[in-house]
Amino acid sequence: MEHLVDSDIEEYCEAHSDSEGELLYRLFRETNLKAVKPRMLSGALQGRFLSFLVKLVHPINALELGTYTGYSALSIAEGLANNGVLHTIEAEEELEEMILRYFNASPYRDKIRLHIGEAAKLIPQFDCRWDFVFIDADKRSNQLYYDLLVPRMNKGGIILIDNVLWSGKVVEEQTHSDIDTQAVMAFNDYVQQDARVSNVMLPLRDGMMMVRVL
């Protein structure tokens, strides 16, 4: 992921936002030292945005697609209602040990449920309606996930989709071989035309689409 905002500006914003805390800092460090593709990790600024937003929504039922090493899940868990639960789905089972180690070290450990498997198969198995969803998984499947989830959202529920600017490639001249960029652009257009929701796109890190189900 390329920086779409000047790194000095992003650092200034982080310095003038709430601290991520010691546990998330350790997770950030270990991910960058040991994990494959550490650029997939939510950074401090995005994590504080997630935490802030979820505290406004105060969801009982929250879902995340794409746990990676658990940084965003731990950020989301900070804002759950007292009886709230976050279900988070990760496809890569080799990440499970690291994820659970940090989840178990968190004061929110009893509110987080990790599921290892394919999101498209697991979503229909949940018997609840969602208040908040964060989609940060396979970009070519964004529309599939979105269409599975919109009918399962409570009215006024929020869906947040990450990487919708795709390193700025959405505004560059496209090649026929760039399937990922084409998928991201097609999804963005699909949401923009969806009468079931209202939406706003934010240039935060790699771009975030915020959707409110009407």
Side-chain angles (χ1 to χ4, degrees):
M1 183 197 72
E2 298 178 6
H3 277 278
L4 299 179
V5 177
D6 183 90
S7 59
D8 290 337
I9 293 294
E10 189 165 311
E11 289 176 8
Y12 184 85
C13 291
E14 289 181 9
H16 291 80
S17 302
D18 290 340
S19 169
E20 63 189 336
E22 190 267 340
L23 180 67
L24 286 173
Y25 176 74
R26 284 197 286 114
L27 175 54
F28 179 87
R29 290 277 297 166
E30 183 172 349
T31 301
N32 277 277
L33 288 170
K34 298 180 179 179
V36 177
K37 298 181 180 178
R39 64 191 181 92
M40 292 171 56
L41 183 77
S42 296
L45 187 61
Q46 181 173 318
R48 290 308 86 204
F49 174 76
L50 283 169
S51 175
F52 196 97
L53 176 61
V54 177
K55 286 173 183 174
L56 294 178
V57 177
H58 221 43
I60 294 175
N61 294 312
L63 176 67
E64 176 185 48
L65 309 185
T67 317
Y68 191 42
T69 58
Y71 191 103
S72 53
L74 289 169
S75 300
I76 291 168
E78 296 174 11
L80 295 171
N82 289 337
N83 59 336
V85 175
L86 169 66
H87 294 273
T88 180
I89 300 173
E90 174 54 47
E92 303 297 334
E93 60 181 301
E94 64 268 19
L95 293 172
E96 183 174 10
E97 183 276 331
M98 184 176 178
I99 295 168
L100 290 178
R101 180 156 43 85
Y102 278 92
F103 283 3
N104 289 333
S106 167
Y108 307 104
R109 56 185 172 272
D110 294 334
K111 294 187 171 187
I112 309 174
R113 310 282 186 271
L114 174 65
H115 306 268
I116 302 295
E118 297 179 31
K121 294 180 179 179
L122 291 172
I123 290 170
Q125 298 178 20
F126 291 105
D127 185 22
C128 65
R129 298 190 69 81
W130 304 106
D131 305 302
F132 180 88
V133 173
F134 181 46
I135 301 176
D136 188 14
D138 170 30
K139 307 312 168 189
R140 298 186 195 182
S141 299
N142 273 350
Q143 187 173 326
L144 170 62
Y145 302 144
Y146 178 86
D147 280 335
L148 283 171
L149 287 163
V150 169
R152 293 173 167 85
M153 299 294 296
N154 282 318
K155 184 178 180 180
I158 299 295
I159 303 176
L160 196 65
I161 306 98
D162 201 11
N163 305 114
V164 293
L165 295 179
W166 205 235
S167 298
K169 293 180 181 179
V170 294
V171 294
E172 297 175 356
E173 184 176 351
Q174 299 304 307
T175 63
H176 293 296
S177 61
D178 192 351
I179 298 173
D180 288 329
T181 301
Q182 292 172 6
V184 170
M185 294 177 68
F187 173 72
N188 293 342
D189 290 343
Y190 182 77
V191 174
Q192 181 66 21
Q193 297 163 11
D194 189 356
R196 300 172 295 176
V197 305
S198 62
N199 59 288
V200 61
M201 184 181 286
L202 304 172
L204 176 63
R205 292 192 86 233
D206 196 29
M208 303 188 84
M209 178 78 83
M210 189 183 302
V211 174
R212 180 176 180 270
V213 178
L214 301 176

